[in-house]
Amino acid sequence: MASNKKYWKSVEELKENSPIVETLKQNEFVEEIPTDDFLGDKETLEASSTTRRDFLKYVGFTTAAASLAACEGPVIKSIPYVVAPDEIVPGVANYYASSIGDGFDFANVLVKTREGRPIKIEHNNLAEGSEVNSRVQASVLSLYDKNRLQYPTINGEEASWEDIDAGVVATMSQMTDKEVVLLTQTFASPSTSKLIQEFIAQYPNVRHVVYDTVSSSEAADAYQRKYGSRGLADYDFGKADVIVSVGADFLGDWQGGGYSVGYIKNRNPKNGKMSRHFQFEANMTLSGANADVRVPVTPSEQEAVLRALTGGSMSGLPENVAEAVRKAKAELDAAGTNGVIVTGISTVAAQTAVLEYNDAKGSVAMDSAKPRLTSMGNTAEVTAVMNGVISGSIKGLITVGVDPVYSFPNAAFADAYKNLEMSIAFSMKEDATASLAKMVAATPHYLESWGDIQTKKGSFGLTQPTIRPLFNTRQFQECLLKWTENSKTYYEYLRENWETNILGGASWNQALQDGVYASDVELEVLETSPTLNALESATSEGAMLTNAQEGGMELTLYTKTSMGDGQQANNPWLQEMPDPISRATWDNYLTVSAADAATLGFENFNVANGALNGSYANISVGDVTIEKVPVLIQPGQAKGSVGLALGYGKTHAIQEEMQTGVNAFTLYNNFNPVVRNVSISKAEGIHEFACVQLQNTMMGRDIIRETTLEIFNTKDAEVWNPMPMVSKDHQEIPVTSPDADLWDSFDRSLGHHFNLSIDLTACTGCGACVIACHAENNVPVVGKAEMRKSRNMHWLRIDRYYSSQESFADDFDKKDNISGLGSSLSEFAELEQASENPQVAFMPVMCQHCNHAPCETVCPVAATSHGRQGQNHMAYNRCVGTRYCANNCPYKVRRFNWFLYVGNDEFDYNMNNDLGRMVLNPDVVVRSRGVMEKCSMCIQMTQKTILDAKRDGRPIKDGEFKTACSSACSTGAIVFGDVNDHDSVIYEKTEDDRMYHLLEAVGTKPNVMYQTQVRNTKES
């Protein structure tokens, strides 16, 4: 029965004829909405004949126009998003082939876009042998950097491009009799080189100088002297049976990096043989960590090692080093044409010695016919520019893609730069140089640009825009066209150059679609000044001959896998990426051996919450001192040497949270990475590191399994990859036996069942998979303070372990021979300490997606459950944050959101601003505070693959299933697929003798498997 009661909303309704009540009856809003303020002139609107339908189109257009710019590359006309182009399907990603060439990193890539927003960088499979490292993966975030320059400036004030053009033309006409230098990065771009030559032809007083922030000049000089053209010899380590590296981190950034794919080709033990790798180095590097034999030697000793390897004497070398050199030389001789030597020693003499040795041996691994063209700078020319600006002989400087005020070692350069008659800086940010320049030309990101690269002779790539420029920017090449009175756009100029000089009749559209093109066409390359080149050769060769250490320490400057030369210092993904070797984030630091640390009084220690603290050091070279540099005691660091990473210490156009570390370029004297006679002293204070891994060794535990090639070839798998046994009724049974299960098994016979395989032999620890996972799954950045509390949010981590003895095998022997309480207490404690020269192993770890998952049994609200396809799911809207699952996980891979990381000023990273949030993947939810998150095996990717095949009415082919980490792994260490497909690669991996599961004795039955690591440590 209905109620007749009347309910009053307020006491006003009790009053008769209340004006407030009458107003509310007619209008639900108490205050009038100021429609005129945001809709414009009322009279004009009333007179408008625009229909409601058209009005909604225009409103839709305002939010869609910017993103639509990416739909067809360069947009010719604007189309309201209500009338979407055919190639844009809401919810479906588009991919564009492009290339990056920022002067330090060069790669052919695929750019994933969603509704016009580039959100992820992937590898272009048509580019054979190329790699997409962690910095290239992270470069998409730099597109959305809120600190980018948004317009050109003159004397610090916003200007138009017409003002810039007029100012440059007027200034250049006044400086016809004065020296002007065009100082650029290495473009490796045939079209840009041609355009620069045309610019110099019009302005003959301009001299073009190429400046590589981190130089490979001596290697290019040596190649030019021997082969007649400037370049870097290329290497395919997959063709080498014996590799000897002297100070060359070729799995890192040596000569541009990108050698991992070839290296791993000949490291697969499946065929019964592997290459053998010797590494002589001072700092512990990725190459040293992956080597079969690693010998710590100071930079001075490296020069003696190289002379001995290439036919000189071994006098002056310590006996242990001399013995290692004898073995390496003997194996090189036995390998013949299948042996190769590479070196990172920065002298022309050392680089020439390597070229001549490999040439004389006929090394099949060295390719001198098709050199790399990615590091073309000349140290002597750059030094002359620096000195010319300081002395005043150079009156004008145009910088493109470089920041010499930050990176030049001479502090006097900054003051001299201010006094130049003409200073023009082409830059994406108001960096140290742009902040002092009279004119600043704001440049677009490479994802907003047209361009081309020739990374290697005969290998070309095209760069195309995937989004319209977000700001009022213009390419350097467009400016040159304006300044040379060329009416073409750079797109037209680029296409004409390719169709005339490169394609040879091939299709431009096809080349643009592929992103890569192979051609043997000979293109003119800008040569360096012969006079300066001769000077460089003379001075560098002398350095090879006088290598005696006069006292003090030897410092090796290097680039970190995450930060490179520092171009992306404002990229929070890279700042928070753990260094593969030290596992530290948000810092650069002085790496010191344990012996030298004890002598100098340095220490590292853990505080109550487990975080790592350490001492500070003052570093002095001549009259230059860097104060309060954090000290990290690094196992494997050669005694008498220290290391410090370049690329840190930036303060211009960098958020305060990311102004980290010290600027090591101030010590980069003569652009030589080795600095001798370094004075190091302890400074006051304690530094707080954000180090994400505190357990340095395995202490003999069964975590990473490894064996030698000899044992792998001669022993049964039960010897080197034993199945864990458990006890039942006092009988030992395999942990895989059904009798050992406490759970009923899931029926996995129907549909798909996903597995992930990680080959520890093929994993170099590069970290590209970590950044790819970050980008694909909207993983938040938490900052240094939270990292110190072990609250990192990475879904995928790469654990790094050192051996306590000389090798991991020795660790296991020591553990197995421990007996008695006294021995146990002392020797287990010794197993916690890393060796002075340890073996190193890397292990990617993510959620193991256990079939018998301990997390699922303890969740009180069933937020984590097992999926039909083998994945362990997380229902975020069910999670109440008890964290029972994290406590019950033996792999420690679940991450708890302690805070809201999106739109929170306490976490001022990309998720805290509208521009930075444009990189978020709409296929993955952005998690809120109070919930647990972890690897999902990229379920959004697997489901899309299934739906695509279902739509097409076809079966899924092997290799179609991908995760972010598997698609990012250049070496093929990570393989993902459906084990119910018995013809698949992943199924083969499950049957491989090397396969094992992490912590298999626990009985969790993971869907992630590992392949035992194999090293070729046996002398041939």
Side-chain angles (χ1 to χ4, degrees):
M1 185 174 177
S3 172
N4 293 320
K5 282 185 178 181
K6 185 173 182 179
Y7 294 90
W8 307 100
K9 296 181 180 177
S10 72
V11 294
E12 285 291 331
E13 294 187 54
L14 297 175
K15 299 179 183 179
E16 291 186 11
N17 302 320
S18 169
I20 296 177
V21 173
E22 290 301 320
T23 301
L24 289 175
K25 285 180 179 179
Q26 304 298 326
N27 187 353
E28 64 176 310
F29 299 105
V30 177
E31 296 183 7
E32 185 179 355
I33 298 175
T35 52
D36 292 349
D37 291 350
F38 67 87
L39 287 180
D41 182 58
K42 182 178 180 180
E43 294 180 3
T44 304
L45 282 173
E46 287 178 347
S48 172
S49 59
T50 302
T51 65
R52 180 176 179 274
R53 180 179 179 83
D54 287 339
F55 171 76
L56 291 175
K57 285 184 181 181
Y58 300 144
V59 172
F61 168 74
T62 60
T63 56
S67 62
L68 232 118
C71 301
E72 301 175 10
V75 174
I76 306 303
K77 59 183 179 180
S78 298
I79 308 171
Y81 200 70
V82 177
V83 186
D86 293 338
E87 62 268 30
I88 289 291
V89 179
V92 177
N94 279 354
Y95 290 83
Y96 296 89
S98 192
S99 301
I100 180 176
D102 64 9
F104 190 76
D105 288 307
F106 295 83
N108 304 112
V109 299
L110 284 182
V111 185
K112 178 182 179 182
T113 67
R114 280 295 303 270
E115 288 76 54
R117 294 178 297 112
I119 62 171
K120 192 170 183 293
I121 304 298
E122 298 186 359
H123 177 252
N124 186 347
N125 292 326
L126 296 178
E128 185 178 353
S130 72
E131 298 176 21
V132 177
N133 62 30
S134 57
R135 294 184 297 272
V136 177
Q137 293 275 351
S139 64
V140 66
L141 182 57
S142 295
L143 169 66
Y144 304 114
D145 185 350
K146 68 178 183 180
N147 287 67
R148 284 180 55 188
L149 275 169
Q150 300 186 17
Y151 44 76
T153 63
I154 297 177
N155 296 323
E157 300 294 329
E158 182 176 354
S160 67
W161 284 107
E162 290 74 17
D163 293 337
I164 293 287
D165 295 338
V168 170
V169 172
T171 305
M172 292 296 292
S173 64
Q174 296 169 6
M175 301 187 69
T176 54
D177 58 344
K178 299 175 182 179
E179 184 177 9
V180 176
V181 171
L182 175 62
L183 186 69
T184 75
Q185 65 178 63
T186 292
F187 283 107
S189 166
S191 298
T192 303
S193 294
K194 182 173 180 289
L195 191 50
I196 288 174
Q197 291 180 50
E198 294 171 4
F199 176 69
I200 293 174
Q202 182 158 334
Y203 298 101
N205 62 317
V206 176
R207 178 161 59 93
H208 179 215
V209 175
V210 177
Y211 167 43
D212 296 313
T213 306
V214 180
S215 177
S216 297
S217 174
E218 291 76 18
D221 292 340
Y223 183 92
Q224 185 173 0
R225 186 189 337 189
K226 183 170 178 59
Y227 298 107
S229 63
R230 194 160 184 80
L232 300 171
D234 197 20
Y235 296 89
D236 183 354
F237 294 105
K239 297 178 180 178
D241 291 337
V242 177
I243 304 164
V244 179
S245 170
V246 183
D249 182 17
F250 59 86
L251 296 182
D253 293 330
W254 175 74
Q255 292 187 184
Y259 293 106
S260 300
V261 172
Y263 176 77
I264 292 302
K265 281 181 185 175
N266 204 13
R267 300 288 290 175
N268 187 345
K270 188 173 182 179
N271 299 324
K273 61 179 292 187
M274 293 172 61
S275 63
R276 188 151 152 81
H277 174 192
F278 291 83
Q279 186 80 14
F280 297 86
E281 62 182 14
N283 297 349
M284 174 67 81
T285 67
L286 279 178
S287 300
N290 285 276
D292 299 307
V293 179
R294 179 184 182 272
V295 184
V297 289
T298 65
S300 295
E301 291 171 337
Q302 288 174 30
E303 296 178 358
V305 166
L306 183 61
R307 279 199 297 269
L309 287 169
T310 54
S313 70
M314 298 186 190
S315 61
L317 286 174
E319 182 52 39
N320 67 312
V321 177
E323 180 61 24
V325 170
R326 277 191 286 269
K327 292 177 180 178
K329 194 171 186 307
E331 297 207 21
L332 277 171
D333 292 340
T337 59
N338 293 321
V340 66
I341 298 179
V342 292
T343 185
I345 299 173
S346 291
T347 65
V348 174
Q351 296 295 334
T352 301
V354 165
L355 293 177
E356 291 180 346
Y357 176 88
N358 291 329
D359 220 15
K361 290 284 187 179
S363 174
V364 295
M366 187 179 84
D367 184 358
S368 58
K370 292 186 176 181
R372 289 190 169 204
L373 305 173
T374 55
S375 188
M376 303 292 282
N378 184 289
T379 298
E381 289 191 346
V382 175
T383 303
V385 171
M386 181 174 66
N387 294 336
V389 171
I390 294 171
S391 68
S393 62
I394 293 175
K395 303 300 182 182
L397 186 64
I398 306 172
T399 57
V400 187
V402 294
D403 186 8
V405 172
Y406 160 72
S407 57
F408 275 177
N410 194 330
F413 178 83
D415 292 329
Y417 183 80
K418 299 175 190 176
N419 299 323
L420 286 168
E421 292 183 26
M422 182 184 76
S423 55
I424 306 172
F426 283 85
S427 178
M428 277 181 57
K429 297 179 183 177
E430 193 176 7
D431 54 29
T433 302
S435 65
L436 301 178
K438 290 181 171 62
M439 285 186 278
V440 180
T443 56
H445 192 269
Y446 80 93
L447 292 174
E448 304 168 311
S449 307
W450 284 104
D452 59 356
I453 60 173
Q454 185 183 14
T455 54
K456 182 180 176 180
K457 186 177 179 181
S459 299
F460 296 87
L462 279 167
T463 301
Q464 65 172 316
T466 56
I467 189 172
R468 195 166 216 158
L470 298 172
F471 307 116
N472 183 21
T473 56
R474 190 204 276 176
Q475 287 185 241
F476 163 66
Q477 295 87 346
E478 290 279 2
C479 288
L480 289 191
L481 287 168
K482 293 281 186 183
W483 301 345
T484 55
E485 300 176 352
N486 192 322
S487 60
K488 294 187 180 72
T489 65
Y490 186 53
Y491 165 75
E492 294 168 340
Y493 184 93
L494 176 73
R495 179 169 182 170
E496 181 183 282
N497 184 42
W498 269 62
E499 290 179 335
T500 304
N501 299 317
I502 297 174
L503 290 175
S507 168
W508 159 262
N509 287 335
Q510 186 64 50
L512 186 60
Q513 179 178 320
D514 294 344
V516 294
Y517 184 74
S519 172
D520 291 329
V521 63
E522 294 283 345
L523 296 177
E524 184 178 353
V525 178
L526 290 176
E527 300 288 356
T528 57
S529 165
T531 303
L532 292 173
N533 191 53
L535 173 65
E536 171 70 4
S537 301
T539 56
S540 298
E541 193 156 11
M544 176 71 172
L545 302 175
T546 57
N547 55 37
Q549 177 70 354
E550 298 175 7
M553 303 284 279
E554 294 183 78
L555 169 66
T556 301
L557 300 171
Y558 67 100
T559 55
K560 278 180 133 186
T561 304
S562 57
M563 197 54 60
D565 64 351
Q567 289 186 55
Q568 298 190 70
N570 207 47
N571 190 315
W573 289 353
L574 294 175
Q575 288 278 8
E576 194 151 290
M577 175 185 166
D579 181 78
I581 302 297
S582 69
R583 305 291 291 138
T585 63
W586 294 98
D587 258 324
N588 68 339
Y589 33 77
L590 191 71
T591 56
V592 183
S593 70
D596 288 333
T599 302
L600 296 168
F602 298 133
E603 60 178 340
N604 288 161
F605 57 92
N606 298 109
V607 292
N609 68 352
L612 182 68
N613 287 2
S615 306
Y616 282 115
N618 293 332
I619 307 174
S620 297
V621 180
D623 57 355
V624 178
T625 298
I626 304 180
E627 297 182 346
K628 300 201 74 170
V629 183
V631 174
L632 189 75
I633 300 174
Q634 175 63 60
Q637 184 76 35
K639 293 179 185 178
S641 74
V642 291
L644 183 62
L646 299 164
Y648 286 81
K650 286 195 168 187
T651 56
H652 290 80
I654 303 291
Q655 284 178 239
E656 184 179 352
E657 294 84 356
M658 284 172 270
Q659 294 179 15
T660 59
V662 298
N663 184 3
F665 279 109
T666 58
L667 304 177
Y668 196 34
N669 296 324
N670 298 319
F671 306 100
N672 191 326
V674 174
V675 186
R676 293 183 168 84
N677 305 320
V678 179
S679 176
I680 297 174
S681 60
K682 187 174 182 179
E684 294 296 323
I686 296 296
H687 182 74
E688 296 182 342
F689 288 99
C691 192
V692 297
Q693 183 180 348
L694 303 176
Q695 180 64 42
N696 285 328
T697 71
M698 290 187 290
M699 293 183 63
R701 294 174 295 169
D702 184 19
I703 298 176
I704 292 180
R705 293 190 183 176
E706 72 161 55
T707 187
T708 65
L709 182 63
E710 180 192 27
I711 294 175
F712 176 80
N713 286 334
T714 59
K715 305 288 186 182
D716 291 335
E718 296 83 40
V719 175
W720 48 266
N721 189 20
M723 176 62 65
M725 307 294 283
V726 294
S727 177
K728 182 182 180 184
D729 299 332
H730 307 291
Q731 297 292 323
E732 293 289 317
I733 61 173
V735 71
T736 53
S737 170
D739 293 335
D741 286 346
L742 299 177
W743 293 51
D744 291 333
S745 295
F746 291 99
D747 179 12
R748 61 171 233 191
S749 59
L750 297 176
H752 306 288
H753 190 88
F754 296 117
N755 270 205
L756 188 76
S757 173
I758 302 173
D759 189 341
L760 298 178
T761 305
C763 177
T764 63
C766 71
C769 54
V770 175
I771 299 298
C773 176
H774 233 302
E776 175 67 28
N777 295 296
N778 300 335
V779 177
V781 173
V782 300
K784 183 174 181 179
E786 293 298 295
M787 296 290 277
R788 269 183 62 82
K789 298 172 184 174
S790 300
R791 292 177 178 173
N792 57 301
M793 296 299 294
H794 292 111
W795 284 10
L796 166 62
R797 70 176 191 264
I798 303 180
D799 288 339
R800 179 267 304 127
Y801 292 103
Y802 299 127
S803 65
S804 177
Q805 307 297 302
E806 288 298 312
S807 68
F808 289 109
D810 293 338
D811 286 4
F812 285 108
D813 289 342
K814 181 171 183 174
K815 180 201 71 171
D816 292 340
N817 292 324
I818 291 176
S819 61
L821 179 61
S823 174
S824 175
L825 291 175
S826 62
E827 295 191 39
F828 268 119
E830 291 171 3
L831 283 173
E832 291 187 34
Q833 304 302 317
S835 168
E836 287 188 0
N837 181 31
Q839 276 191 347
V840 185
F842 298 104
M843 177 177 241
V845 181
M846 67 290 287
C847 173
Q848 303 290 291
H849 295 273
C850 310
N851 288 309
H852 295 176
C855 57
E856 295 170 12
T857 60
V858 295
C859 181
V861 293
T864 178
S865 58
H866 206 71
R868 182 103 189 225
Q869 295 171 344
Q871 293 137 319
N872 175 251
H873 294 315
M874 273 298 306
Y876 298 124
N877 61 344
R878 291 186 64 90
C879 180
V880 295
T882 63
R883 293 181 286 144
Y884 295 162
C885 56
N887 293 335
N888 216 39
C889 174
Y891 307 103
K892 301 306 171 192
V893 289
R894 305 179 76 87
R895 306 285 178 248
F896 183 69
N897 282 266
W898 290 92
F899 301 97
L900 177 67
Y901 299 112
V902 183
N904 188 342
D905 290 343
E906 293 295 320
F907 302 93
D908 192 14
Y909 308 110
N910 65 292
M911 287 189 180
N912 194 44
N913 63 83
D914 290 337
L915 190 62
R917 282 194 289 269
M918 286 180 71
V919 82
L920 295 178
N921 183 359
D923 290 334
V924 180
V925 67
V926 177
R927 284 77 61 186
S928 185
R929 69 185 296 264
V931 302
M932 190 69 66
E933 62 182 74
K934 51 92 195 174
C935 164
S936 66
M937 272 192 181
C938 292
I939 190 169
Q940 69 279 3
M941 297 176 69
T942 57
Q943 295 311 301
K944 183 184 183 303
T945 302
I946 293 170
L947 291 173
D948 286 348
K950 184 177 181 180
R951 179 197 62 203
D952 299 340
R954 59 174 176 80
I956 297 173
K957 301 175 184 177
D958 184 33
E960 282 193 79
F961 285 122
K962 295 281 187 182
T963 59
C965 55
S966 69
S967 61
C969 186
S970 300
T971 63
I974 303 178
V975 177
F976 179 75
D978 177 11
V979 291
N980 282 350
D981 177 4
H982 287 195
D983 295 325
S984 65
V985 174
I986 194 68
Y987 181 77
E988 291 180 14
K989 296 285 187 181
T990 64
E991 301 297 308
D992 196 296
D993 286 342
R994 290 198 290 142
M995 190 278 289
Y996 77 99
H997 292 113
L998 179 59
L999 303 182
E1000 193 159 19
V1002 178
T1004 55
K1005 297 190 180 299
N1007 282 315
V1008 176
M1009 70 189 97
Y1010 294 86
Q1011 308 293 324
T1012 302
Q1013 182 165 5
V1014 181
R1015 296 182 193 265
N1016 189 4
T1017 57
K1018 177 69 175 177
E1019 296 175 32
S1020 59

